[in-house]
Amino acid sequence: MKQIRFDSVGGVSGDMVLAAMAGLGADLKVMERGLNDAIPEDEFVLETMPFSDYGMNGVKLDVKITKSSGIERGLEEIGRIIDRTSMPETAKKRAHDVFQRLAHAEAEVHGCRADHVHFHEVGAVDSIVDILGSCWAFEMLGADSISFGVLPEGTGTFRCRHGIYPIPAPATLRLLKDIDMEQTDEPFEMITPTGAALLTTLPGGQNKGVSGKVVSSALSFGSRKLNGRPNALRATLIASGKNAAWTAESCIELETNLDDVTPEAAGALSAKLFENGARDVWMIPAVMKKQRPGYVLHVLCFESDLDRFSELVFRESGTLGIRVNRTERRILERDMVAVNLSCGAEVHVKRAFLDGMVISAKPEYEDCRKVSAEYGIPYREVFSEALNALKK
């Protein structure tokens, strides 16, 4: 197993995270080509330069824009960019998750729906590159998880497009829910929304135990000169002797009894929970008080999303109470491959691995359904042919 440990002296931002992982060995040139192809309206180059401060040596990263469209993108547009990249599917999934968390944090700040959020600073090309590049770098390094300690933050206010805001920025504060941070006397924003979103979305978490051999380490610097400390972030790649067959992550299971909802309302609630980023949703039929039929609703989410999903369930279901269970789930490594059918259509198949071996494979339902409808082939035949094509 490999873990990346982040230790912050000067805060954390997207460019600092990406630069630190590049210092550990992630290939910026591969990212530059792949991400430029996915954002044809803009052009950029990734430049690193040696930098020293307070006797510490490291690198700075600059996403140098050579052609700017000036487009301000929302969640849907950024999602299309992610899907167009040549990143591995696991990296795409992590990038989608990061932007979903950012969108929900911004939506809470501005009182709107996540899909209506129009990113400003975070929707700029450099921020998109920082986030997508960091998710890609995580895969390039073969990392299983990250860990980080207490995060330093500045004090006072800062100016953004909406006006004068307190430090931390409101969206950053929501992303850092349940995260330990330490206020310094630096009059600057030290934790950016992109930095906070990356550290709290990548698998792992704050103060997760670190053990194993040090493989490499790297130091990155932010663009701002701080008054009394280096604006530095250190990343250390640590490998343990044991290769786990799965990834473990802490999560929250919300549970509540529903005895006065129709099947249609239950289905709508389940769909809305998934749309808002729940990791899993399921309902178990049950007999409630006075022998009324009902459901026991279960929602799986991360700790940082506990309040958001609690509010959604309260509002949408009418329940008066929710049980909160802290648990852990173990996740097999997985990927997505495309297979070609005899009719000329393409179907994606999800594969799961245990100890490096494929132990299950399942064609994607929506792909099979569309092929079945378009070519007039029974669904079960499409499903079966996709599995057989995978074995060839």
Side-chain angles (χ1 to χ4, degrees):
M1 291 186 67
K2 290 183 180 179
Q3 182 184 107
I4 303 173
R5 169 71 183 188
F6 290 102
D7 294 293
S8 177
V9 180
V12 59
S13 60
D15 61 316
M16 293 169 74
V17 172
L18 179 55
M21 288 202 278
L24 294 178
D27 193 332
L28 288 178
K29 288 302 177 185
V30 171
M31 295 181 206
E32 183 181 294
R33 290 193 296 270
L35 298 180
N36 263 304
D37 289 343
I39 317 175
E41 304 89 355
D42 300 88
E43 295 177 3
F44 63 89
V45 293
L46 295 176
E47 294 184 346
T48 57
M49 60 206 80
F51 190 82
S52 299
D53 199 17
Y54 284 81
M56 304 171 73
N57 297 315
V59 296
K60 273 186 178 181
L61 172 72
D62 181 25
V63 181
K64 188 174 181 180
I65 310 298
T66 56
K67 174 188 171 185
S68 176
S69 64
I71 297 173
E72 291 185 350
R73 299 172 173 91
L75 190 59
E76 184 177 347
E77 294 92 334
I78 292 174
R80 286 196 289 267
I81 289 173
I82 295 171
D83 292 336
R84 285 199 300 264
T85 68
S86 54
M87 295 192 297
E89 290 299 324
T90 48
K92 291 181 183 180
K93 175 66 167 58
R94 297 194 200 286
H96 278 295
D97 288 346
V98 173
F99 272 105
Q100 283 282 351
R101 275 182 53 74
L102 275 166
H104 286 297
E106 292 284 355
E108 289 178 10
V109 171
H110 299 297
C112 64
R113 286 170 40 184
D115 56 350
H116 288 174
V117 168
H118 213 68
F119 294 115
H120 300 306
E121 290 87 351
V122 177
V125 173
D126 53 350
S127 294
I128 294 173
V129 171
D130 289 341
I131 292 174
L132 272 60
S134 295
C135 293
W136 200 344
F138 183 84
E139 299 298 322
M140 286 182 175
L141 295 171
D144 300 285
S145 65
I146 67 164
S147 70
F148 57 97
V150 176
L151 300 176
E153 178 59 293
T155 185
T157 61
F158 75 104
R159 179 180 293 277
C160 69
R161 178 170 299 192
H162 296 289
I164 303 296
Y165 274 18
I167 297 173
T172 302
L173 205 56
R174 283 161 172 77
L175 291 165
L176 293 178
K177 182 173 172 22
D178 298 319
I179 298 296
D180 290 329
M181 66 178 187
E182 178 184 26
Q183 191 174 50
T184 72
D185 58 1
E186 296 286 346
F188 308 109
E189 179 189 25
M190 297 169 66
I191 306 173
T192 68
T194 53
L198 283 166
L199 289 192
T200 57
T201 306
L202 290 173
Q206 189 172 51
N207 297 322
K208 182 179 179 183
V210 179
S211 63
K213 293 182 179 180
V214 174
V215 177
S216 59
S217 63
L219 199 69
S220 66
F221 290 90
S223 57
R224 177 177 283 115
K225 174 70 174 176
L226 302 180
N227 292 336
R229 61 175 64 204
N231 189 4
L233 176 70
R234 185 179 67 190
T236 307
L237 185 62
I238 300 169
S240 66
K242 181 179 179 182
N243 288 319
W246 49 74
T247 299
E249 62 184 19
S250 299
C251 52
I252 298 292
E253 182 182 340
L254 302 180
E255 179 184 358
T256 187
N257 297 347
L258 305 176
D259 63 358
D260 58 353
V261 297
T262 64
E264 292 83 0
L269 172 58
S270 177
K272 181 167 266 188
L273 287 164
F274 275 120
E275 289 168 2
N276 278 269
R279 315 316 294 176
D280 203 359
V281 180
W282 67 100
M283 296 187 190
I284 300 173
V287 178
M288 306 297 183
K289 61 186 178 182
K290 299 181 181 180
Q291 306 306 303
R292 288 184 295 188
Y295 308 94
V296 181
L297 170 69
H298 297 261
V299 183
L300 205 63
C301 67
F302 293 132
E303 178 86 39
S304 56
D305 294 320
L306 171 58
D307 290 346
R308 183 164 62 85
F309 280 107
S310 295
E311 181 178 351
L312 195 156
V313 171
F314 277 129
R315 288 185 180 279
E316 295 288 333
S317 72
T319 187
L320 302 179
I322 299 173
R323 297 177 290 281
V324 178
N325 304 304
R326 285 169 173 80
T327 185
E328 178 184 279
R329 67 172 184 168
R330 295 182 173 182
I331 309 166
L332 290 176
E333 179 188 353
R334 68 198 71 179
D335 70 3
M336 191 82 73
V337 294
V339 298
N340 293 312
L341 306 185
S342 58
C343 64
E346 184 180 82
V347 170
H348 289 87
V349 181
K350 183 182 291 183
R351 303 184 300 177
F353 299 82
L354 183 64
D355 291 327
M357 302 291 292
V358 177
I359 64 167
S360 70
K362 184 178 181 182
E364 287 291 281
Y365 167 75
E366 285 296 336
D367 286 4
C368 293
R369 184 189 62 78
K370 289 178 182 177
V371 171
S372 175
E374 183 175 349
Y375 291 88
I377 305 172
Y379 174 88
R380 65 179 182 277
E381 293 183 16
V382 176
F383 187 95
S384 178
E385 186 180 349
L387 279 182
N388 290 333
L390 185 66
K391 298 173 184 177
K392 294 179 181 178

